[in-house]
Amino acid sequence: MDRRHFLKQSTLASSLYFVPSFVKAFENMSPASLGYKRLVMIQLSGGNDGLNTIVPFNNDEYYRSRPKIAISKSDVLKATDELGFHASLLPLKKLYDDGHLTVINNVGYPNPNRSHFRATDIWQTASDSNQYLQEGWIGRYLDHYGKQPYNAIETDDSLSLTLKGKNINGIAAKNPEILFKTSQDPYFKNVLKYYQDEHLSEHNLGYLYKTMIAAESSAKYIFEKYQTAKSQQEYPINEFSNQLKTTAKLINSGLETRIFYSSLGGFDTHAGQINQQGRLLKMYAEGVGAFVNDLKTQGTFNDTLIVTFSEFGRRVKQNAANGTDHGSASNVFIIGNQLKSQGFYNDLASLSDLDDNGDLKYSVDFRSIYATVLSNWLAVDDKRVLNKSFAKLDFV
Protein backbone atom coordinates (compact mmCIF):
# COMPACT_ATOMS: atom_id res chain seq x y z
CA MET A 1 0.00 0.00 0.00
CA ASP A 2 1.30 3.45 -0.92
CA ARG A 3 2.63 5.23 2.18
CA ARG A 4 1.85 8.75 0.96
CA HIS A 5 -1.72 7.80 0.06
CA PHE A 6 -2.17 6.20 3.47
CA LEU A 7 -0.96 9.31 5.31
CA LYS A 8 -3.03 11.66 3.18
CA GLN A 9 -6.26 9.72 3.59
CA SER A 10 -6.03 9.03 7.32
CA THR A 11 -8.11 12.04 8.29
CA LEU A 12 -9.12 10.72 11.68
CA ALA A 13 -5.53 10.38 12.84
CA SER A 14 -5.39 14.04 13.85
CA SER A 15 -8.13 13.55 16.41
CA LEU A 16 -7.45 10.06 17.75
CA TYR A 17 -4.58 8.25 19.35
CA PHE A 18 -4.40 4.85 20.98
CA VAL A 19 -1.34 3.05 22.35
CA PRO A 20 -1.16 -0.64 21.37
CA SER A 21 -2.33 -1.89 24.77
CA PHE A 22 -5.62 -0.07 24.26
CA VAL A 23 -6.23 -0.99 20.63
CA LYS A 24 -9.02 -3.37 21.59
CA ALA A 25 -12.06 -1.26 22.50
CA PHE A 26 -13.77 -1.43 25.89
CA GLU A 27 -17.33 -0.86 24.68
CA ASN A 28 -18.80 -2.69 27.69
CA MET A 29 -17.02 -0.55 30.28
CA SER A 30 -19.38 0.51 33.05
CA PRO A 31 -20.19 4.25 33.28
CA ALA A 32 -19.68 3.96 37.04
CA SER A 33 -15.99 3.29 36.45
CA LEU A 34 -15.57 6.88 35.28
CA GLY A 35 -18.27 8.49 37.38
CA TYR A 36 -21.22 10.55 36.22
CA LYS A 37 -20.09 14.16 36.53
CA ARG A 38 -19.20 15.96 33.33
CA LEU A 39 -17.19 19.09 32.60
CA VAL A 40 -17.86 21.41 29.64
CA MET A 41 -15.03 23.82 28.77
CA ILE A 42 -15.82 26.84 26.57
CA GLN A 43 -13.08 29.08 25.21
CA LEU A 44 -13.84 32.63 24.05
CA SER A 45 -10.97 32.78 21.58
CA GLY A 46 -9.19 36.01 20.74
CA GLY A 47 -9.02 37.54 24.20
CA ASN A 48 -12.42 38.67 25.45
CA ASP A 49 -12.55 42.10 27.10
CA GLY A 50 -13.56 41.26 30.66
CA LEU A 51 -14.20 44.87 31.70
CA ASN A 52 -16.95 45.32 29.12
CA THR A 53 -18.33 41.88 29.97
CA ILE A 54 -18.61 42.30 33.72
CA VAL A 55 -18.89 46.07 33.99
CA PRO A 56 -17.74 48.16 37.00
CA PHE A 57 -20.50 50.71 36.34
CA ASN A 58 -19.84 52.78 39.48
CA ASN A 59 -16.12 53.12 38.87
CA ASP A 60 -15.09 56.56 37.59
CA GLU A 61 -11.70 55.23 36.45
CA TYR A 62 -13.47 52.82 34.13
CA TYR A 63 -15.24 55.64 32.31
CA ARG A 64 -12.14 57.85 32.25
CA SER A 65 -10.11 55.04 30.69
CA ARG A 66 -12.76 54.25 28.07
CA PRO A 67 -14.48 57.47 27.02
CA LYS A 68 -15.88 55.99 23.79
CA ILE A 69 -16.28 52.28 24.44
CA ALA A 70 -17.36 52.06 28.10
CA ILE A 71 -20.81 50.55 28.65
CA SER A 72 -23.13 53.26 29.92
CA LYS A 73 -24.57 52.75 33.37
CA SER A 74 -28.12 52.75 32.02
CA ASP A 75 -27.33 49.80 29.71
CA VAL A 76 -25.73 47.57 32.33
CA LEU A 77 -27.66 44.61 33.75
CA LYS A 78 -26.88 45.44 37.35
CA ALA A 79 -26.05 42.57 39.69
CA THR A 80 -24.49 44.32 42.70
CA ASP A 81 -23.90 47.93 43.70
CA GLU A 82 -20.62 47.85 41.77
CA LEU A 83 -20.77 45.21 39.05
CA GLY A 84 -23.18 44.29 36.29
CA PHE A 85 -23.46 42.33 33.05
CA HIS A 86 -23.15 43.55 29.47
CA ALA A 87 -26.64 44.04 28.05
CA SER A 88 -26.09 41.15 25.61
CA LEU A 89 -25.69 38.73 28.52
CA LEU A 90 -29.33 38.60 29.64
CA PRO A 91 -29.48 34.75 29.62
CA LEU A 92 -26.32 34.71 31.73
CA LYS A 93 -27.79 37.26 34.13
CA LYS A 94 -30.78 34.94 34.53
CA LEU A 95 -28.43 32.10 35.48
CA TYR A 96 -26.84 34.47 38.00
CA ASP A 97 -30.25 35.33 39.46
CA ASP A 98 -31.11 31.62 39.71
CA GLY A 99 -27.90 30.83 41.60
CA HIS A 100 -26.36 28.88 38.73
CA LEU A 101 -23.40 31.19 38.04
CA THR A 102 -20.14 32.03 39.78
CA VAL A 103 -17.99 34.82 38.34
CA ILE A 104 -14.30 34.68 39.24
CA ASN A 105 -12.52 37.99 38.60
CA ASN A 106 -8.84 38.76 37.97
CA VAL A 107 -7.90 35.31 36.65
CA GLY A 108 -4.44 35.00 35.13
CA TYR A 109 -0.94 33.71 35.92
CA PRO A 110 2.56 35.07 36.67
CA ASN A 111 4.47 36.80 33.84
CA PRO A 112 1.58 36.69 31.37
CA ASN A 113 2.10 36.26 27.65
CA ARG A 114 0.05 38.46 25.29
CA SER A 115 0.44 36.38 22.13
CA HIS A 116 -2.78 34.59 21.14
CA PHE A 117 -0.99 31.38 20.24
CA ARG A 118 1.33 31.22 23.20
CA ALA A 119 -1.30 32.35 25.71
CA THR A 120 -3.70 29.72 24.39
CA ASP A 121 -1.00 27.07 24.72
CA ILE A 122 -0.41 28.12 28.33
CA TRP A 123 -4.10 27.84 29.21
CA GLN A 124 -4.47 24.57 27.29
CA THR A 125 -1.42 22.88 28.81
CA ALA A 126 -1.58 24.52 32.27
CA SER A 127 2.11 25.39 31.96
CA ASP A 128 4.14 28.21 33.45
CA SER A 129 4.65 31.15 31.09
CA ASN A 130 8.24 30.03 30.37
CA GLN A 131 7.44 26.32 30.15
CA TYR A 132 6.62 24.50 26.91
CA LEU A 133 4.58 21.32 27.22
CA GLN A 134 3.55 18.92 24.46
CA GLU A 135 0.48 17.53 26.22
CA GLY A 136 -2.68 19.40 27.18
CA TRP A 137 -4.07 19.26 30.70
CA ILE A 138 -7.14 17.36 29.51
CA GLY A 139 -4.85 15.05 27.56
CA ARG A 140 -2.92 14.32 30.76
CA TYR A 141 -6.23 13.66 32.48
CA LEU A 142 -6.94 11.08 29.78
CA ASP A 143 -3.50 9.54 30.17
CA HIS A 144 -4.12 8.92 33.86
CA TYR A 145 -7.87 8.40 34.09
CA GLY A 146 -9.24 7.78 30.59
CA LYS A 147 -9.91 4.50 28.84
CA GLN A 148 -11.15 5.63 25.44
CA PRO A 149 -10.62 8.64 23.15
CA TYR A 150 -14.30 9.53 23.58
CA ASN A 151 -13.81 10.11 27.30
CA ALA A 152 -12.98 13.67 26.14
CA ILE A 153 -14.60 15.19 23.03
CA GLU A 154 -14.04 18.47 21.23
CA THR A 155 -16.99 19.53 19.07
CA ASP A 156 -14.85 20.63 16.16
CA ASP A 157 -13.21 19.20 13.04
CA SER A 158 -9.72 19.24 14.54
CA LEU A 159 -8.32 18.56 17.97
CA SER A 160 -6.84 21.29 20.16
CA LEU A 161 -3.63 20.83 22.12
CA THR A 162 -5.61 20.72 25.35
CA LEU A 163 -7.05 17.26 24.52
CA LYS A 164 -3.77 15.73 23.38
CA GLY A 165 -2.06 13.39 25.80
CA LYS A 166 1.12 11.38 25.69
CA ASN A 167 -0.64 8.02 25.34
CA ILE A 168 -4.27 8.90 24.59
CA ASN A 169 -5.84 11.79 22.72
CA GLY A 170 -9.41 12.91 22.93
CA ILE A 171 -11.54 12.88 19.81
CA ALA A 172 -12.78 15.69 17.56
CA ALA A 173 -16.42 15.13 16.66
CA LYS A 174 -18.15 18.17 15.22
CA ASN A 175 -20.83 15.96 13.68
CA PRO A 176 -21.07 12.37 14.99
CA GLU A 177 -22.88 11.20 11.86
CA ILE A 178 -20.17 12.49 9.53
CA LEU A 179 -17.50 11.04 11.81
CA PHE A 180 -19.17 7.64 11.64
CA LYS A 181 -19.64 7.76 7.85
CA THR A 182 -15.99 8.73 7.42
CA SER A 183 -14.93 5.75 9.52
CA GLN A 184 -17.02 3.50 7.25
CA ASP A 185 -15.42 4.82 4.07
CA PRO A 186 -14.26 2.01 1.75
CA TYR A 187 -10.71 3.30 2.04
CA PHE A 188 -10.69 2.61 5.76
CA LYS A 189 -12.07 -0.85 5.17
CA ASN A 190 -9.38 -1.41 2.56
CA VAL A 191 -6.66 -0.45 5.01
CA LEU A 192 -7.98 -2.90 7.58
CA LYS A 193 -8.16 -5.60 4.94
CA TYR A 194 -4.50 -5.17 4.05
CA TYR A 195 -3.18 -4.80 7.57
CA GLN A 196 -0.64 -7.57 6.85
CA ASP A 197 1.03 -5.35 4.24
CA GLU A 198 4.74 -5.23 5.04
CA HIS A 199 4.71 -1.44 5.00
CA LEU A 200 2.38 -1.44 8.00
CA SER A 201 5.21 -2.73 10.10
CA GLU A 202 6.88 0.65 9.70
CA HIS A 203 6.50 2.89 12.72
CA ASN A 204 4.24 5.60 11.24
CA LEU A 205 1.96 3.25 9.33
CA GLY A 206 1.65 0.89 12.26
CA TYR A 207 0.66 3.81 14.44
CA LEU A 208 -1.94 5.02 11.92
CA TYR A 209 -3.35 1.53 11.48
CA LYS A 210 -3.90 1.17 15.21
CA THR A 211 -5.44 4.64 15.25
CA MET A 212 -7.92 3.65 12.58
CA ILE A 213 -9.00 0.59 14.54
CA ALA A 214 -9.77 2.86 17.47
CA ALA A 215 -11.42 5.39 15.17
CA GLU A 216 -13.83 2.89 13.72
CA SER A 217 -14.84 1.61 17.13
CA SER A 218 -15.15 5.05 18.74
CA ALA A 219 -17.06 6.62 15.84
CA LYS A 220 -19.59 3.79 15.83
CA TYR A 221 -20.15 4.02 19.58
CA ILE A 222 -20.50 7.82 19.57
CA PHE A 223 -22.95 7.82 16.67
CA GLU A 224 -25.10 5.02 18.08
CA LYS A 225 -25.40 6.81 21.42
CA TYR A 226 -25.97 10.18 19.71
CA GLN A 227 -28.94 8.77 17.80
CA THR A 228 -30.71 7.76 21.00
CA ALA A 229 -30.91 11.34 22.37
CA LYS A 230 -33.97 13.47 21.65
CA SER A 231 -34.45 17.15 22.42
CA GLN A 232 -37.26 19.67 22.03
CA GLN A 233 -35.01 22.61 22.93
CA GLU A 234 -34.66 25.31 20.31
CA TYR A 235 -31.15 26.66 19.79
CA PRO A 236 -30.04 29.82 17.98
CA ILE A 237 -28.92 29.18 14.42
CA ASN A 238 -25.14 29.60 14.48
CA GLU A 239 -22.04 27.43 14.64
CA PHE A 240 -21.41 27.94 18.36
CA SER A 241 -24.93 26.92 19.34
CA ASN A 242 -24.60 23.88 17.08
CA GLN A 243 -21.55 22.85 19.10
CA LEU A 244 -23.52 23.11 22.33
CA LYS A 245 -26.53 21.32 20.83
CA THR A 246 -24.27 18.43 19.83
CA THR A 247 -22.70 18.44 23.29
CA ALA A 248 -26.14 18.34 24.94
CA LYS A 249 -27.22 15.39 22.81
CA LEU A 250 -24.05 13.49 23.67
CA ILE A 251 -24.48 14.23 27.39
CA ASN A 252 -28.15 13.32 27.36
CA SER A 253 -27.43 10.09 25.46
CA GLY A 254 -25.42 8.72 28.38
CA LEU A 255 -22.18 8.69 26.41
CA GLU A 256 -19.20 7.80 28.60
CA THR A 257 -17.55 11.19 28.14
CA ARG A 258 -16.26 13.17 31.09
CA ILE A 259 -15.01 16.35 29.39
CA PHE A 260 -16.36 18.32 26.43
CA TYR A 261 -14.61 21.26 24.77
CA SER A 262 -16.13 24.01 22.60
CA SER A 263 -15.05 27.47 21.47
CA LEU A 264 -16.34 30.74 20.08
CA GLY A 265 -13.87 32.95 18.21
CA GLY A 266 -13.67 36.57 17.13
CA PHE A 267 -12.90 38.34 20.42
CA ASP A 268 -9.72 40.08 19.23
CA THR A 269 -11.36 43.51 19.33
CA HIS A 270 -8.57 45.94 18.45
CA ALA A 271 -11.05 48.16 16.57
CA GLY A 272 -14.79 48.78 16.61
CA GLN A 273 -15.20 46.76 19.77
CA ILE A 274 -18.68 47.85 20.82
CA ASN A 275 -20.65 46.13 18.05
CA GLN A 276 -18.37 43.13 17.58
CA GLN A 277 -18.17 42.16 21.24
CA GLY A 278 -21.86 42.79 21.80
CA ARG A 279 -22.77 40.46 18.94
CA LEU A 280 -20.43 37.72 20.18
CA LEU A 281 -21.52 37.96 23.81
CA LYS A 282 -25.15 37.67 22.69
CA MET A 283 -24.26 34.58 20.67
CA TYR A 284 -22.45 33.09 23.66
CA ALA A 285 -25.15 33.85 26.23
CA GLU A 286 -28.08 32.69 24.11
CA GLY A 287 -26.27 29.48 23.20
CA VAL A 288 -25.39 28.73 26.81
CA GLY A 289 -28.92 29.60 27.93
CA ALA A 290 -30.41 27.10 25.47
CA PHE A 291 -27.78 24.51 26.44
CA VAL A 292 -28.58 24.79 30.17
CA ASN A 293 -32.33 24.59 29.50
CA ASP A 294 -31.76 21.47 27.39
CA LEU A 295 -29.79 19.81 30.19
CA LYS A 296 -32.39 20.81 32.79
CA THR A 297 -35.19 19.29 30.72
CA GLN A 298 -33.28 16.03 30.37
CA GLY A 299 -32.23 15.92 34.05
CA THR A 300 -28.49 16.15 33.36
CA PHE A 301 -27.77 19.72 34.53
CA ASN A 302 -27.09 18.63 38.14
CA ASP A 303 -24.12 16.58 36.99
CA THR A 304 -22.69 19.07 34.49
CA LEU A 305 -20.26 21.90 35.24
CA ILE A 306 -19.60 24.56 32.57
CA VAL A 307 -16.41 26.66 32.64
CA THR A 308 -15.92 29.62 30.27
CA PHE A 309 -12.53 31.30 29.84
CA SER A 310 -10.52 33.41 27.40
CA GLU A 311 -6.76 33.21 26.84
CA PHE A 312 -6.34 36.76 28.15
CA GLY A 313 -8.28 39.95 28.82
CA ARG A 314 -7.75 43.42 27.34
CA ARG A 315 -6.00 46.62 28.42
CA VAL A 316 -7.89 48.89 30.79
CA LYS A 317 -7.51 51.91 28.50
CA GLN A 318 -9.13 51.94 25.09
CA ASN A 319 -6.96 52.49 22.02
CA ALA A 320 -7.26 55.03 19.21
CA ALA A 321 -9.37 52.68 17.08
CA ASN A 322 -12.19 52.45 19.62
CA GLY A 323 -11.03 49.02 20.66
CA THR A 324 -8.72 47.47 23.23
CA ASP A 325 -5.32 45.82 22.97
CA HIS A 326 -4.11 42.55 24.44
CA GLY A 327 -4.11 42.46 28.23
CA SER A 328 -3.77 39.80 30.88
CA ALA A 329 -6.20 39.03 33.73
CA SER A 330 -9.91 38.61 33.03
CA ASN A 331 -13.00 36.84 34.34
CA VAL A 332 -13.99 33.17 34.27
CA PHE A 333 -17.60 31.95 34.41
CA ILE A 334 -18.55 28.78 36.31
CA ILE A 335 -22.08 27.50 35.60
CA GLY A 336 -23.76 24.66 37.44
CA ASN A 337 -26.42 23.56 39.90
CA GLN A 338 -24.05 22.53 42.70
CA LEU A 339 -22.09 25.75 43.23
CA LYS A 340 -20.90 26.62 46.72
CA SER A 341 -20.24 30.29 45.95
CA GLN A 342 -22.94 31.65 43.69
CA GLY A 343 -22.54 35.16 42.33
CA PHE A 344 -19.22 37.00 42.43
CA TYR A 345 -16.45 34.92 43.93
CA ASN A 346 -14.14 37.89 44.49
CA ASP A 347 -13.92 41.64 43.95
CA LEU A 348 -12.63 43.19 40.76
CA ALA A 349 -8.99 44.28 40.89
CA SER A 350 -8.10 47.97 41.08
CA LEU A 351 -8.41 49.95 37.85
CA SER A 352 -5.83 52.48 39.00
CA ASP A 353 -3.21 50.17 40.52
CA LEU A 354 -2.26 48.34 37.33
CA ASP A 355 0.77 46.32 36.28
CA ASP A 356 3.60 47.87 34.23
CA ASN A 357 1.71 47.21 30.97
CA GLY A 358 -1.51 48.89 32.05
CA ASP A 359 -3.32 45.63 32.76
CA LEU A 360 -5.33 44.37 35.69
CA LYS A 361 -3.23 42.55 38.27
CA TYR A 362 -4.22 38.92 38.53
CA SER A 363 -5.22 37.52 41.92
CA VAL A 364 -6.38 34.02 40.93
CA ASP A 365 -4.15 31.58 39.05
CA PHE A 366 -6.21 29.85 36.36
CA ARG A 367 -4.63 26.54 37.37
CA SER A 368 -6.30 26.86 40.77
CA ILE A 369 -9.60 26.69 38.88
CA TYR A 370 -8.42 23.58 37.04
CA ALA A 371 -7.20 22.03 40.30
CA THR A 372 -10.55 22.69 41.96
CA VAL A 373 -12.50 21.21 39.07
CA LEU A 374 -10.28 18.13 38.89
CA SER A 375 -10.28 17.49 42.63
CA ASN A 376 -13.72 18.61 43.77
CA TRP A 377 -15.78 17.88 40.66
CA LEU A 378 -14.12 15.08 38.71
CA ALA A 379 -12.71 13.53 41.91
CA VAL A 380 -9.19 12.84 40.63
CA ASP A 381 -5.70 13.77 41.80
CA ASP A 382 -5.23 17.29 40.44
CA LYS A 383 -1.47 17.29 41.14
CA ARG A 384 -1.05 14.22 38.98
CA VAL A 385 -2.73 16.00 36.05
CA LEU A 386 -1.27 19.49 36.53
CA ASN A 387 2.24 18.30 37.50
CA LYS A 388 2.24 20.44 40.65
CA SER A 389 -0.09 21.60 43.43
CA PHE A 390 -2.23 24.73 43.23
CA ALA A 391 -4.45 26.29 45.86
CA LYS A 392 -8.04 25.07 45.71
CA LEU A 393 -10.93 27.50 45.49
CA ASP A 394 -14.33 27.10 47.08
CA PHE A 395 -16.79 27.42 44.22
CA VAL A 396 -17.74 23.74 43.84
Side-chain angles (χ1 to χ4, degrees):
M1 181 171 294
D2 182 75
R3 177 186 178 93
R4 181 176 299 178
H5 185 61
F6 189 104
L7 291 168
K8 181 178 180 181
Q9 295 297 323
S10 298
T11 57
L12 293 186
S14 65
S15 65
L16 286 170
Y17 178 88
F18 244 49
V19 292
S21 61
F22 288 124
V23 167
K24 193 172 181 65
F26 295 100
E27 280 89 354
N28 297 321
M29 182 176 62
S30 168
S33 67
L34 285 176
Y36 295 100
K37 290 183 177 179
R38 295 175 175 87
L39 171 66
V40 178
M41 299 294 300
I42 299 174
Q43 179 177 358
L44 304 182
S45 301
N48 179 46
D49 178 26
L51 282 178
N52 275 17
T53 301
I54 299 299
V55 184
F57 61 87
N58 265 340
N59 191 310
D60 292 338
E61 187 62 39
Y62 167 72
Y63 290 100
R64 281 194 295 269
S65 299
R66 301 180 167 206
K68 294 185 178 180
I69 69 167
I71 309 299
S72 66
K73 186 178 296 189
S74 60
D75 290 335
V76 175
L77 303 174
K78 297 177 179 62
T80 70
D81 291 339
E82 300 295 330
L83 298 174
F85 293 81
H86 188 289
S88 295
L89 294 176
L90 183 59
L92 207 67
K93 174 61 163 54
K94 185 178 185 302
L95 291 173
Y96 170 90
D97 293 337
D98 292 341
H100 297 324
L101 173 66
T102 297
V103 179
I104 306 178
N105 291 310
N106 324 317
V107 181
Y109 53 91
N111 303 311
N113 191 293
R114 292 166 180 81
S115 159
H116 291 294
F117 300 106
R118 179 58 190 147
T120 294
D121 282 354
I122 290 169
W123 275 81
Q124 292 192 348
T125 63
S127 70
D128 294 334
S129 61
N130 62 350
Q131 181 184 25
Y132 293 81
L133 300 179
Q134 301 303 311
E135 297 86 32
W137 73 277
I138 297 174
R140 294 196 298 274
Y141 166 85
L142 288 174
D143 281 339
H144 294 302
Y145 300 103
K147 297 295 184 182
Q148 295 281 352
Y150 53 72
N151 293 151
I153 292 178
E154 181 167 4
T155 50
D156 203 344
D157 289 326
S158 59
L159 200 68
S160 299
L161 174 60
T162 191
L163 276 78
K164 294 180 180 179
K166 184 176 182 180
N167 297 321
I168 304 178
N169 279 1
I171 185 168
K174 185 175 183 179
N175 185 316
E177 182 176 3
I178 293 176
L179 179 71
F180 173 67
K181 288 180 178 179
T182 302
S183 73
Q184 299 302 303
D185 186 276
Y187 175 77
F188 281 79
K189 300 297 185 182
N190 193 42
V191 169
L192 298 180
K193 179 180 178 181
Y194 288 99
Y195 74 95
Q196 298 289 355
D197 189 301
E198 62 180 4
H199 294 296
L200 290 178
S201 64
E202 298 179 36
H203 175 73
N204 287 341
L205 294 183
Y207 156 76
L208 288 173
Y209 172 68
K210 293 176 177 66
T211 296
M212 293 176 74
I213 295 176
E216 185 178 36
S217 174
S218 296
K220 182 174 185 293
Y221 171 70
I222 291 170
F223 181 56
E224 287 178 348
K225 296 293 288 185
Y226 180 79
Q227 284 185 305
T228 66
K230 306 296 181 183
S231 173
Q232 301 300 318
Q233 178 65 43
E234 291 188 13
Y235 283 79
I237 302 175
N238 57 65
E239 186 59 38
F240 175 68
S241 291
N242 285 342
Q243 291 182 48
L244 296 184
K245 184 177 182 179
T246 297
T247 299
K249 286 192 68 174
L250 292 173
I251 289 174
N252 294 333
S253 73
L255 186 72
E256 295 167 13
T257 301
R258 298 298 307 278
I259 303 177
F260 295 88
Y261 195 92
S262 298
S263 63
L264 173 62
F267 285 92
D268 195 17
T269 52
H270 288 283
Q273 176 173 303
I274 289 292
N275 291 334
Q276 182 177 347
Q277 189 193 30
R279 175 180 58 83
L280 291 171
L281 289 179
K282 186 173 189 290
M283 191 181 300
Y284 162 74
E286 290 181 348
V288 168
F291 178 61
V292 169
N293 287 338
D294 200 350
L295 298 183
K296 284 182 176 180
T297 300
Q298 298 292 326
T300 51
F301 182 53
N302 282 351
D303 297 319
T304 303
L305 191 71
I306 306 163
V307 177
T308 301
F309 73 96
S310 195
E311 68 265 27
F312 48 63
R314 317 294 292 191
R315 292 282 167 80
V316 172
K317 290 187 177 181
Q318 71 173 66
N319 60 26
N322 292 329
T324 50
D325 297 325
H326 298 180
S328 54
S330 191
N331 34 54
V332 167
F333 298 146
I334 313 291
I335 299 171
N337 197 33
Q338 299 188 43
L339 302 177
K340 293 181 179 179
S341 302
Q342 301 97 334
F344 291 94
Y345 186 83
N346 55 346
D347 294 332
L348 182 67
S350 171
L351 299 189
S352 55
D353 181 20
L354 306 176
D355 69 13
D356 294 339
N357 292 286
D359 297 332
L360 293 176
K361 293 181 177 179
Y362 91 97
S363 60
V364 176
D365 194 308
F366 76 95
R367 292 164 294 187
S368 285
I369 297 175
Y370 290 173
T372 303
V373 168
L374 288 165
S375 176
N376 297 358
W377 184 255
L378 295 178
V380 298
D381 184 351
D382 56 284
K383 183 178 180 181
R384 193 177 185 194
V385 175
L386 301 177
N387 297 327
K388 62 176 71 174
S389 295
F390 294 92
K392 307 293 194 305
L393 307 180
D394 193 32
F395 59 81
V396 69

